[in-house]
Amino acid sequence: MRKQIAAANWKMNLTLQQGVELIGNILKNNISLSDQRQTLFAVPFPFLQAAQQAIDAHPHYFIAAQNCHFQKSGAFTGEVSAEMLASIGIRYVIVGHSERREYFSESNQILAEKINRCLENQLKPIFCCGESLAVREAGNQNQYVSTQLHESLFHLTADQVRNFIIAYEPIWAIGTGKTASSAQAQEMHLHIRSVIEKQYSSEIASSVSILYGGSVKANNAREIFGETDVDGGLVGGASLAAEEFSSIIRSLQ
């Protein structure tokens, strides 16, 4: 049975003190989770160890990094390697977020290398994919996302893809005033799962957790997470408020 996951992506927000307080306020709600229901906090690099300490006594809560470099090491001032993250006990890392693709020109090929570095260091990638408004309006979203999967993930073996985490971001529905319906989310999640099934097998496809990353909020999380192929959410702004994100965690099916 694949995992249901509420993943918070803080992006470049909060101070260390605010972040630790936020985690503490969420944990105070004593939300019951299980082996199949998890919460992740993807926090800025300077907060990783403090955040890790904050959730240490709380099973089913984990800390993720928001990025890593595609090289093992070297003269890359200001960058952070997968090995560095592993050395401080981090287990998850976001790879290929739409903002990294747009603002830092990360290609599918670079992301494939990042995935490799993560797996070499026993880090679990949260691989982001998704289309822009122009691609959606042209009706090319399925092919576009398929290409992202093929070029960044499908060099991996079936065992490496087993229990993978993918986050689908409909970029056209984030900050544009347009809204993706739960049915549209399900449609793309089903497509992603079918592409994985064609490449590997139905058993592998059914093991992959696919999160939805399109403006998830407390008032729509339960409906979105209730779709058959939606296994939780990658949550941006709504993850910065304790009660809002706590409600989203409770919406996991």
Side-chain angles (χ1 to χ4, degrees):
M1 183 177 178
R2 59 184 181 266
K3 289 180 169 55
Q4 308 296 302
I5 300 167
N9 179 15
W10 290 1
K11 307 188 180 185
M12 195 175 72
N13 291 295
L14 306 178
T15 64
L16 174 60
Q17 293 75 20
Q18 290 169 334
V20 171
E21 180 181 11
L22 175 57
I23 291 176
N25 287 337
I26 291 169
L27 294 176
K28 284 177 186 175
N29 287 321
N30 295 314
I31 302 169
S32 178
L33 296 175
S34 66
D35 287 343
Q36 294 307 125
R37 296 169 70 224
Q38 297 181 345
T39 295
L40 309 181
F41 297 100
V43 308
F45 288 131
F47 305 170
L48 286 170
Q49 287 187 289
Q52 188 84 306
Q53 291 170 359
I55 56 94
D56 262 349
H58 298 270
H60 314 305
Y61 287 83
F62 301 91
I63 302 303
Q66 296 178 11
N67 184 38
C68 68
H69 200 267
F70 63 91
Q71 294 282 15
K72 295 181 180 181
S73 60
F76 303 102
T77 301
E79 294 293 335
V80 174
S81 72
E83 183 179 30
M84 291 174 183
L85 296 174
S87 74
I88 60 170
I90 299 303
R91 293 176 56 183
Y92 295 87
V93 58
I94 296 174
V95 173
H97 192 278
S98 59
E99 292 157 3
R100 298 293 312 180
R101 292 174 185 267
E102 180 180 358
Y103 304 143
F104 300 95
S105 303
E106 294 187 353
S107 66
N108 292 335
Q109 290 70 32
I110 285 176
L111 298 179
E113 289 302 317
K114 289 192 179 192
I115 295 291
N116 292 342
R117 299 294 85 75
C118 289
L119 297 180
E120 288 167 2
N121 289 279
Q122 290 73 56
L123 293 174
K124 193 158 191 173
I126 304 166
F127 177 75
C128 298
C129 58
E131 79 282 3
S132 66
L133 180 60
V135 172
R136 167 65 65 157
E137 289 183 336
N140 296 328
Q141 64 271 15
N142 285 3
Q143 182 57 51
Y144 188 87
V145 171
S146 295
T147 298
Q148 290 178 319
L149 297 173
H150 276 277
E151 294 185 357
S152 295
L153 296 186
F154 285 176
H155 64 288
L156 302 175
T157 67
D159 280 343
Q160 288 173 316
V161 174
R162 189 186 307 276
N163 301 320
F164 215 82
I165 302 173
I166 291 173
Y168 166 61
E169 301 179 280
I171 304 167
W172 54 274
I174 303 173
T176 63
K178 295 182 180 291
T179 303
S181 67
S182 57
Q184 286 174 314
Q186 165 60 20
E187 180 181 43
M188 181 57 79
H189 282 231
L190 177 61
H191 171 69
I192 291 170
R193 209 174 297 284
S194 69
V195 172
I196 296 170
E197 179 177 358
K198 185 175 181 180
Q199 178 71 19
Y200 296 102
S201 69
S202 59
E203 188 267 332
I204 295 297
S206 65
S207 77
V208 174
S209 295
I210 308 177
L211 313 184
Y212 178 71
S215 298
V216 176
K217 295 179 172 53
N219 63 7
N220 64 13
R222 188 166 297 277
E223 178 185 350
I224 293 170
F225 297 173
E227 295 290 346
T228 303
D229 289 287
V230 179
D231 303 311
L234 179 62
V235 185
S239 72
L240 301 174
E243 290 310 312
E244 179 91 1
F245 191 59
S246 294
S247 178
I248 291 170
I249 297 170
R250 293 189 185 99
S251 297
L252 292 173
Q253 303 297 305

